[in-house]
Amino acid sequence: MDTFIPTMTHPTAQTEIDWLYSTQLFGIKLGLDNVQRLLSELKLPAAGQKFIHVAGTNGKGSTCAFVHSILKAGGINAGLFTSPHLIHFGERIRDSQGMITAEEIAAGVVRLRERVAGWDPHPTFFELTLALALEWFAQRGNPWVVLETGLGGRLDATNAITPVVSVITPIGWDHMDMLGDTLAKIAGEKAGIIKPGVPVVTMRQEAEALDVIERVAAERGAPLTIVETPWEAETGLAGPHQRWNAAMAVEALSAAGFDFDAEVITRGLREVQWPARFQKVGGLVIDGAHNIDAARMLAQTWWEQFPNEKAEVIFGAVAGKDTAAVLRELAPIAASWHFTGFESPRALPPDTLCEMWRGLGLASCPVTMHERIAEAMLAVKPEARVLIAGSLYLAGEALALLENKSAAFERSAQ
């Protein structure tokens, strides 16, 4: 993982980064009018730049990472835009050579801040971050950019871009308050990234979701490829689900017109780096699984990697998720629970998590509560298998502590 440490002694840099974070107060506003205006005024994206756009409930970040890693192995310095970040804001905006620097963030934010002064409605944090990224990619001369949607698809800011290929990873239950209370409604929002005539790649998944993708693709004359088998070889990311994500990445690049040889593809899939996805750090495993499908895949991967071994689970979650369902999925691999708070205003209190767990009525196991993750990490047995899961924000805080960079830890956008 690349290193990004903000220059705390650079007052302008820190002031502008703080201002960007302050725009989180404008909340999440789904819609494209503001971002289209912003990109039009900035003359973005750069002429000739090509995009691969990825949406979905689970696996979209990993799929983006696979695509980007193959492009790197093929000698292409592509841009990569993802969210949220785990430790440092710069993780969201990178290319094959590294992340955007604190000074580059500051300079870009100054320009954006001047541009949107007085706008009503004011651009959101995510809209501004996307504009910052596209400007940086233009300055870097990246010929290709891999874009991960932030929330949904149809009204997500990234949907202001017309890609060369669209990718829709498995669709499941998440953000129901904003995307809909049925799988078909959620799929309709994700399928909103499908553009007329632009190829679409997806994979076998729940019939209710796949039906929507097939219908929208047909209505828009978008050639649809459904990946039927996973990538056969191991990849740099653990778990059977990652082989499906790898297969979608390979198919997406083919649909985009690339014809990489087998060695390039194999190397790209093997050398991929994507933190907090069954990431092994010393004796710990860190995974940002925060919804039912991701938790199910995490449990499956755990048994694949550690047959017949259970985990001491350090668990924290944010409000607004079906946390009880996540606990139920992880219960078979949990030898004990360490419920913890972490640095987020949406973090559920440990006693709430404890009540949630007891309310499931499953087989009892040891439970302890901790105010902070550092306390929880000290409490686990040194010889134990330890899993940190439940939220990407929790995963980021754990990684910051493990890298001994807690002083440089920046709160992820909430």
Side-chain angles (χ1 to χ4, degrees):
M1 183 175 174
D2 301 51
T3 300
F4 173 88
I5 301 177
T7 309
M8 298 300 180
T9 56
H10 190 307
T12 302
Q14 194 56 50
T15 298
E16 298 307 324
I17 290 171
D18 288 345
W19 178 84
L20 184 60
Y21 279 125
S22 77
T23 63
Q24 294 174 35
L25 297 174
F26 296 108
I28 298 172
K29 298 175 185 175
L30 295 177
L32 301 180
D33 290 346
N34 244 24
V35 71
Q36 287 173 338
R37 175 188 173 188
L38 182 58
L39 298 185
S40 176
E41 291 193 11
L42 294 170
K43 296 180 171 54
L44 294 171
Q49 215 162 40
K50 297 180 180 180
F51 293 83
I52 295 173
H53 192 194
V54 183
T57 304
N58 290 302
K60 62 182 185 291
S62 298
T63 301
C64 286
F66 278 128
V67 170
H68 192 250
S69 186
I70 295 170
L71 289 172
K72 180 180 179 180
I76 296 170
N77 184 24
L80 177 62
F81 177 75
T82 59
S83 61
H85 61 272
L86 295 176
I87 305 174
H88 311 295
F89 176 87
E91 296 165 26
R92 295 170 177 257
I93 304 169
R94 63 171 66 219
D95 63 14
S96 298
Q97 297 174 356
M99 292 187 283
I100 186 171
T101 68
E103 288 76 15
E104 288 171 328
I105 293 170
V109 171
V110 166
R111 290 189 291 272
L112 289 172
R113 192 173 184 175
E114 293 171 350
R115 174 72 64 171
V116 302
W119 279 32
D120 185 17
H122 195 282
T124 66
F125 172 88
F126 191 76
E127 290 167 343
L128 291 166
T129 301
L130 175 63
L132 177 68
L134 293 178
E135 184 179 62
W136 190 75
F137 297 144
Q139 292 168 349
R140 299 280 290 179
N142 301 127
W144 285 83
V145 174
V146 184
L147 282 181
E148 180 191 10
T149 56
L151 177 62
R154 181 175 65 94
L155 299 176
D156 186 76
T158 59
N159 207 29
I161 302 298
T162 298
V164 172
V165 61
S166 305
V167 182
I168 302 176
T169 67
I171 294 169
W173 300 96
D174 206 3
H175 299 295
M176 286 90 80
D177 56 331
M178 303 189 77
L179 302 181
D181 57 2
T182 69
L183 210 55
K185 289 178 182 177
I186 296 171
E189 293 299 318
K190 307 288 186 181
I193 72 166
I194 297 174
K195 304 291 196 303
V198 175
V200 187
V201 174
T202 190
M203 60 171 275
R204 286 192 291 128
Q205 53 185 295
E206 294 287 343
E208 190 177 355
L210 189 57
D211 287 348
V212 172
I213 295 170
E214 290 178 322
R215 175 178 55 77
V216 174
E219 289 172 353
R220 298 179 184 174
L224 174 64
T225 299
I226 301 172
V227 173
E228 299 284 353
T229 56
W231 185 252
E232 293 183 357
E234 289 296 321
T235 73
L237 301 178
H241 59 296
Q242 295 294 3
R243 293 193 283 275
W244 283 98
N245 294 334
M248 279 190 292
V250 172
E251 193 60 48
L253 287 166
S254 176
F258 289 99
D259 187 23
F260 292 123
D261 61 39
E263 189 279 330
V264 167
I265 293 172
T266 300
R267 180 155 48 90
L269 295 178
R270 186 179 62 246
E271 295 178 355
V272 66
Q273 295 184 25
W274 195 232
R277 277 70 176 182
F278 212 87
Q279 181 182 2
K280 297 176 183 177
V281 183
L284 301 172
V285 172
I286 302 175
D287 194 291
H290 59 274
N291 60 47
I292 185 170
D293 295 315
R296 186 177 297 128
M297 288 296 100
L298 169 55
Q300 185 178 345
T301 304
W302 183 272
W303 289 132
E304 181 187 76
Q305 296 287 308
F306 308 117
N308 305 315
E309 292 187 65
K310 290 191 174 185
E312 288 201 40
V313 184
I314 297 174
F315 186 91
V318 296
K321 304 286 185 180
D322 190 355
T323 300
V326 172
L327 291 171
R328 186 182 293 276
E329 291 296 331
L330 296 182
I333 66 171
S336 65
W337 293 98
H338 294 263
F339 294 124
T340 183
F342 54 97
E343 188 67 28
S344 168
R346 294 173 54 215
L348 291 173
D351 57 349
T352 299
L353 293 171
C354 191
E355 290 173 14
M356 207 175 280
W357 162 250
R358 287 173 178 156
L360 293 175
L362 300 176
S364 63
C365 65
V367 174
T368 55
M369 292 180 285
H370 311 275
E371 289 189 13
R372 307 293 303 173
I373 187 173
E375 177 188 324
M377 290 167 71
L378 288 172
V380 295
K381 301 171 185 175
E383 70 279 7
R385 292 279 189 198
V386 179
L387 170 65
I388 299 175
S391 168
L392 279 170
Y393 303 120
L394 175 73
E397 192 165 332
L399 286 170
L401 289 168
L402 290 167
E403 293 180 10
N404 196 27
K405 296 176 183 174
S406 55
F409 176 78
E410 299 170 17
R411 181 178 299 170
S412 293
Q414 305 299 310

